Amino acid sequence: MNELDYSAIEKALGVEPSSIAEMPEEIRAKMKTVLETIVVRTDEDRKELYNALDLLWQKGSVLLTLEKVSKATGIPMVTLSNLDFETQQVIVFEYLANSGNTKQIYMLTNSALAVIELDKIAKLIAVPVRELRKLPRRIQEQMCGAYAMEFDKDSTNAELVGELRGMMQQ
């Protein structure tokens, strides 16, 4: 990405000069693609361009701060990167509010990791994942714990399926 691209993004977002250069390469490449694909002819085009760049800016800012969180807490960056964006935002907020509160950051990370298998569980028990997400958090965590401990890729997992469906009824 060249300086002209940085300037266009900085101008579109109203951010500090050179702050785009600090963004992860993946985010900068996506921003450049947005600039190349959205042709601004109307106010609606301008709004679409801003929204696309702003979302990428937010994601880039979160990733930059997650790197600091990783260094400060010892939680591997790959683990933090695998969390959903909403959880990443919450972790960044907690870190910015009190960078010394590593206990809270660990709790948030562990809680998010505890339900990371919901998509796989939904497929296994043939229930839409949105239904699983409606369950109380403790049930989601129990289901993911059982799945992590008992799933056998070389089995029908019939007993596990029954156990997971039973947990939904609690």
Side-chain angles (χ1 to χ4, degrees):
M1 188 175 291
N2 62 35
E3 287 304 314
L4 177 63
D5 295 323
Y6 288 155
S7 299
I9 294 169
E10 290 164 347
K11 184 177 179 184
L13 294 174
V15 296
E16 297 280 323
S18 77
S19 57
I20 300 299
E22 297 172 8
M23 290 286 133
E25 179 58 37
E26 172 191 347
I27 298 294
R28 289 194 328 245
K30 288 179 181 179
M31 287 178 163
K32 184 175 181 179
T33 301
V34 166
L35 283 172
E36 291 171 348
T37 56
I38 298 178
V39 178
V40 178
R41 293 187 182 118
T42 66
D43 285 342
E44 193 61 38
D45 296 337
R46 238 178 239 91
K47 183 178 178 182
E48 181 183 351
L49 176 66
Y50 174 81
N51 288 339
L53 291 175
D54 187 51
L55 179 61
L56 289 168
W57 172 258
Q58 289 174 35
K59 287 183 178 182
S61 298
V62 166
L63 285 175
L64 287 173
T65 308
L66 282 178
E67 289 176 11
K68 294 176 186 174
V69 171
S70 177
K71 289 176 185 170
T73 63
I75 300 170
M77 184 59 187
V78 68
T79 300
L80 295 173
S81 297
N82 286 330
L83 301 175
D84 63 273
F85 185 61
E86 183 177 316
T87 301
Q88 290 175 343
Q89 287 178 306
V90 171
I91 288 171
V92 164
F93 175 79
E94 288 293 330
Y95 177 77
L96 293 173
N98 181 359
S99 62
N101 191 358
T102 56
K103 184 178 178 180
Q104 176 69 7
I105 294 169
Y106 272 101
M107 190 208 63
L108 290 166
T109 303
N110 288 335
S111 181
L113 290 173
V115 296
I116 208 160
E117 304 288 2
L118 281 181
D119 291 340
K120 294 176 184 174
I121 293 170
K123 288 179 185 175
L124 179 66
I125 64 174
V127 172
V129 74
R130 69 180 173 276
E131 293 301 316
L132 297 179
R133 294 196 192 284
K134 291 178 185 176
L135 296 171
R137 184 70 177 204
R138 68 176 179 74
I139 301 294
Q140 293 178 36
E141 290 174 1
Q142 287 174 357
M143 292 178 80
C144 287
Y147 178 85
M149 297 294 288
E150 299 174 30
F151 180 77
D152 180 359
K153 66 178 180 164
D154 297 325
S155 166
T156 63
N157 294 294
E159 189 175 318
L160 176 59
V161 169
E163 184 181 343
L164 292 169
R165 287 189 176 144
M167 288 179 185
M168 289 181 64
Q169 307 309 314
Q170 294 180 15

